[in-house]
Amino acid sequence: MCGIVGYLGKNNAFPYLIDGLRHLEYRGYDSAGVTVVAKRSLCSRKTVGKVEVLAEAAEDLRDCGTVGIAHTRWATHGEPSVPNAHPHFDCTESIAVVHNGIIENYSQLKKRLADKHRFLSETDTEVIAHLVEEYLIADGSLESAVQQALADLQGTYALAVIFAYEPETIIAARQGSPLVIGIGEEEYFVASDVAAFLKHTHNVLHLSDGEICVLTPDGARVTDFDNRPVLRDIMPLAIEQEELGKNGFPHFMLKEIFEQPKTIEKALCERLDEGEGTASFSALHDLFPRILESRRITIVACGTSWHAGLVGEYMLEQYAHIPVDVEYASEFRYRDPLLGPGDVVIGISQSGETADTLAAIREARCKGAAVIGICNVPGSSMAQACDATLAMNAGPEIGVASTKAYIAQLVVLLLLALALARKRTMNREEGQWLIRELSLLPGKVEHILADDAAVLKIAEEFHASQHFLYLGRGFNFPNALEGALKLKEISYIHAEGYPAAEMKHGPIALIDANMPVVFLAPRDHTYEKILSNIQEVKARKGKIITVTDEGNHGVDELSDHVIRIPQTIEPLTPLLTIIPLQLLAYHIALLRGCNVDQPRNLAKSVTVE
Ligand code: AGP
């Protein structure tokens, strides 16, 4: 959601800025803009639509100067339009600002400034440029003017500011939205995400909330908002450039689906103790006793990560015998949850930047709960906001529809359940058995992926459907929700997921000969029950697609299509049944001509409420 790039160095800034924006496209946006400092004036272009449109329209800025900022905007305040696109300017057009986040008190600030300043957009961001102008007139230094302006702002922001009369400076600040600094050879970058500059440097300085970074040819200097120096180490990044490419796949989503056998291995790596039949997380060392003794675990997350939390609930309760609640982060944060030092809260987020999840874990921490994050992006806000963070190790996930991160989340939750269970209820042999089954999963996922053509055939038959229903029970109920979410977000087909037994309490009214119903029916302890649910759909002429285990032919006569997955133990079935659902959504979306990697209206990380 919104992407910021800034460049200061020895080369022309424009190519770096446009290329950086291209690498941030996956975050989701609807307009873009760029400003370069040229001989004590600012040269800018803004366009609606794709970065390529901007690149063409702004080609004349190519040789303009060596310092600049650029932005992709995902509309919040004001429609996608050229005036609302960033950068935004002061009245003299000598100060330019790009911003990600929301300035909550912008209308009060706008009123305060309205007499003396001319506003050209409907955005909250524009007040920042005018505030800096106000303080710059009084003070004369950009750094001090930005600092004073920040003191007036309420809300969340990552921002970068340039000034025509300090042509060799970029000022960046972070409060609740992601921002990283890249340190190259005599060149510096500021960006929402390392993907924007990874081609040029692997050396990164992670800013924390409440910090400002002043970039000049002399280096990167970090202070807090009160101008106290902050010492930050430059960290080398472990991500390789190839991880950010499609590696021969037509789409990031498909690449990420096919990466999942590796994703499972990476999430397991160095966390298993086969001899003891247990798992451990070095990050949890100090907190583990507190989790073991906790009276309850609350999981907070959004979207796909919330679905992973639901599977985690089944895993943790079944294995570790600790009561678990799973909450939408957006609801949890506003209902004054009853939490205290005896509680553990687990926040799950691929990006580590989801505003609602961050707010929920901050709320939990304020109330004294121990807070653990399960997160995929090192150095993200979540990693900074939790008592301990368990890395998913899935590598960059670029497709907006989350796939491999979900699998990684399930593995991490399962390992946590195993580690806790071994200290509470599970003996060593049971632990060893679970680890053996876990280690077979990557091969089983490969096996499902090898039959992609069968899923494509089903997609060809149903891609024109207007509605889909997904039904599952027990460990596979959350996958019914996840399968439906995958389909609706990338194919724009209306899809609902339900616990299969709930169907007769309402959704069964939707069933007719035009309704495809996907059943998740591995032979687990609810299998006989779900067979009855399949019968109920069959009796109403619904089209039945059943996902079940190899060797089970009990559903063949009832189903229009059967997708078979290798057998595994019940708690691990969600890691297999989800694979054909991801493929089905992918193929249907493609057949409908949808933009699979960048679906309309969606952003990869939702950094606003
Ligand atoms: C997943 O396909 C979605 N795009 C979305 O629901 C996502 O899972 C949600 O926004 C949460 O993101 P996070 O894991 O980065 O917090």
Side-chain angles (χ1 to χ4, degrees), residues 253 300-307 347-358 374-377 382 392 397 399-403 405-406 409 482 485-486 489-490 599 602-607:
M253 182 180 177
V300 292
C302 302
T304 289
S305 297
W306 184 77
H307 298 155
I348 308 177
S349 174
Q350 187 286 129
S351 60
E353 301 295 348
T354 300
D356 285 319
T357 308
L358 289 174
I374 297 180
C375 182
N376 195 36
V377 179
M382 176 178 251
M392 294 177 197
E397 188 181 66
V400 164
S402 187
T403 52
Y406 182 66
Q409 288 162 349
E482 176 60 8
L485 177 64
K486 286 291 88 87
E489 68 180 336
I490 59 169
L602 292 179
K604 180 65 183 162
S605 59
V606 182
T607 53

Side-chain angles (χ1 to χ4, degrees), residues 181-183 194 197 201-206 232-238 378-379:
I181 308 292
I183 313 284
V194 295
F197 57 71
T201 181
H202 275 59
N203 293 326
V204 171
L205 206 151
H206 288 287
R232 283 244 163 269
D233 290 334
I234 296 173
M235 312 288 282
L237 273 179

Side-chain angles (χ1 to χ4, degrees), residues 9 18 32 83 114 162 220 256 260 272 276 296 305 314 347 380 414 429 487 500 508 537 566 572 581 589 594-595:
I18 293 294
I162 52 175
E256 287 157 8
Q260 288 176 112
L272 291 176
E276 279 305 309
R296 184 179 48 160
S305 297
Y314 284 86
S380 67
L414 190 85
E429 288 67 36
L487 187 70
I508 198 163
V537 172
L572 301 189
L581 305 193
C594 298
N595 184 340

Side-chain angles (χ1 to χ4, degrees), residues 455-519:
V455 181
L456 173 60
K457 275 208 180 115
I458 301 173
E460 283 166 348
E461 185 174 334
F462 293 106
H463 74 274
S465 300
Q466 301 204 339
H467 308 277
F468 258 79
L469 210 52
Y470 287 74
L471 301 173
R473 298 182 82 126
F475 277 96
N476 281 287
F477 150 58
N479 272 3
L481 301 180
E482 176 60 8
L485 177 64
K486 286 291 88 87
L487 187 70
K488 63 189 147 195
E489 68 180 336
I490 59 169
S491 75
Y492 318 141
I493 294 175
H494 170 235
E496 303 231 27
Y498 268 95
E502 274 293 303
M503 180 182 61
K504 53 190 169 297
H505 300 288
I508 198 163
L510 299 169
I511 309 282
D512 63 16
N514 297 317
M515 175 65 94
V517 184
V518 180
F519 277 97

Side-chain angles (χ1 to χ4, degrees), residues 172-331:
R174 171 181 175 146
Q175 181 62 46
S177 293
L179 203 62
V180 284
I181 308 292
I183 313 284
E185 288 280 319
E186 292 178 57
E187 58 186 6
Y188 301 92
F189 301 83
V190 51
S192 304
D193 182 327
V194 295
F197 57 71
L198 203 62
K199 256 188 197 170
H200 311 292
T201 181
H202 275 59
N203 293 326
V204 171
L205 206 151
H206 288 287
L207 289 187
S208 294
D209 286 347
E211 290 179 356
I212 298 179
C213 181
V214 180
L215 297 174
T216 65
D218 295 332
R221 182 167 47 81
V222 182
T223 64
D224 66 14
F225 284 4
D226 296 321
N227 206 18
R228 285 183 294 246
V230 174
L231 285 179
R232 283 244 163 269
D233 290 334
I234 296 173
M235 312 288 282
L237 273 179
I239 305 171
E240 287 310 320
Q241 181 63 28
E242 307 82 75
E243 293 188 66
L244 298 174
K246 291 183 194 154
N247 296 355
F249 284 91
H251 298 96
F252 282 109
M253 182 180 177
L254 193 64
K255 173 197 160 208
E256 287 157 8
I257 291 173
F258 273 80
E259 265 174 29
Q260 288 176 112
K262 212 82 243 102
T263 308
I264 296 174
E265 283 168 9
K266 288 200 287 183
L268 291 174
C269 189
E270 292 177 18
R271 287 169 167 168
L272 291 176
D273 179 342
E274 289 169 41
E276 279 305 309
T278 191
S280 63
F281 295 90
S282 50
L284 279 188
H285 191 258
D286 296 339
L287 269 188
F288 198 69
R290 219 170 138 188
I291 309 171
L292 264 182
E293 284 153 25
S294 64
R295 57 183 178 199
R296 184 179 48 160
I297 294 176
T298 304
I299 296 178
V300 292
C302 302
T304 289
S305 297
W306 184 77
H307 298 155
L310 290 177
V311 181
E313 176 182 24
Y314 284 86
M315 290 170 171
L316 286 158
E317 290 195 344
Q318 170 156 331
Y319 283 132
H321 294 194
I322 300 177
V324 177
D325 294 326
V326 186
E327 305 255 8
Y328 284 116
S330 53
E331 290 297 314

Side-chain angles (χ1 to χ4, degrees), residues 295-605:
R295 57 183 178 199
R296 184 179 48 160
I297 294 176
T298 304
I299 296 178
V300 292
C302 302
T304 289
S305 297
W306 184 77
H307 298 155
L310 290 177
V311 181
E313 176 182 24
Y314 284 86
M315 290 170 171
L316 286 158
E317 290 195 344
Q318 170 156 331
Y319 283 132
H321 294 194
I322 300 177
V324 177
D325 294 326
V326 186
E327 305 255 8
Y328 284 116
S330 53
E331 290 297 314
F332 176 84
R333 59 180 292 197
Y334 285 117
R335 64 168 177 72
D336 197 14
L338 298 173
L339 286 177
D343 292 299
V344 168
V345 170
I346 301 178
I348 308 177
S349 174
Q350 187 286 129
S351 60
E353 301 295 348
T354 300
D356 285 319
T357 308
L358 289 174
I361 59 180
R362 286 180 183 132
E363 171 79 14
R365 225 169 160 200
C366 281
K367 289 182 181 279
V371 178
I372 300 161
I374 297 180
C375 182
N376 195 36
V377 179
S380 67
S381 300
M382 176 178 251
Q384 296 181 22
C386 293
D387 294 304
T389 308
L390 311 182
M392 294 177 197
N393 297 334
E397 188 181 66
I398 310 284
V400 164
S402 187
T403 52
K404 65 174 181 173
Y406 182 66
I407 281 276
Q409 288 162 349
L410 298 192
V411 173
V412 172
L413 286 161
L414 190 85
L415 294 184
L416 183 61
L418 170 63
L420 292 167
R422 280 286 291 114
K423 294 278 179 200
R424 290 168 65 98
T425 51
M426 186 187 277
N427 66 35
R428 189 166 58 180
E429 288 67 36
E430 286 170 314
Q432 289 171 328
W433 179 64
L434 180 56
I435 288 175
R436 267 196 301 279
E437 289 295 329
L438 259 173
S439 61
L440 295 174
L441 277 181
K444 291 181 181 180
V445 173
E446 293 276 9
H447 185 81
I448 300 170
L449 291 170
D451 209 13
D452 181 30
V455 181
L456 173 60
K457 275 208 180 115
I458 301 173
E460 283 166 348
E461 185 174 334
F462 293 106
H463 74 274
S465 300
Q466 301 204 339
H467 308 277
F468 258 79
L469 210 52
Y470 287 74
L471 301 173
R473 298 182 82 126
F475 277 96
N476 281 287
F477 150 58
N479 272 3
L481 301 180
E482 176 60 8
L485 177 64
K486 286 291 88 87
L487 187 70
K488 63 189 147 195
E489 68 180 336
I490 59 169
S491 75
Y492 318 141
I493 294 175
H494 170 235
E496 303 231 27
Y498 268 95
E502 274 293 303
M503 180 182 61
K504 53 190 169 297
H505 300 288
I508 198 163
L510 299 169
I511 309 282
D512 63 16
N514 297 317
M515 175 65 94
V517 184
V518 180
F519 277 97
L520 303 176
R523 270 177 304 179
D524 57 20
H525 78 286
T526 62
Y527 176 68
E528 295 303 326
K529 302 282 175 202
I530 210 165
L531 268 187
S532 312
N533 302 134
I534 297 176
Q535 296 273 13
E536 288 154 12
V537 172
K538 178 86 178 162
R540 287 158 185 85
K541 301 194 168 34
K543 296 282 178 290
I544 296 169
I545 303 158
T546 305
V547 180
T548 191
D549 336 280
E550 274 166 1
N552 175 27
H553 292 282
V555 292
D556 293 8
E557 279 196 8
L558 294 171
S559 310
D560 296 274
H561 296 277
V562 179
I563 300 171
R564 292 183 213 282
I565 56 162
Q567 289 179 16
T568 185
I569 54 173
E570 187 169 340
L572 301 189
T573 54
L575 289 110
L576 298 183
T577 58
I578 194 58
I579 309 291
L581 305 193
Q582 295 168 342
L583 289 169
L584 185 65
Y586 171 79
H587 288 305
I588 288 180
L590 264 196
L591 289 163
R592 290 167 73 93
C594 298
N595 184 340
V596 171
D597 283 334
Q598 289 170 31
R600 68 183 182 204
N601 303 337
L602 292 179
K604 180 65 183 162
S605 59

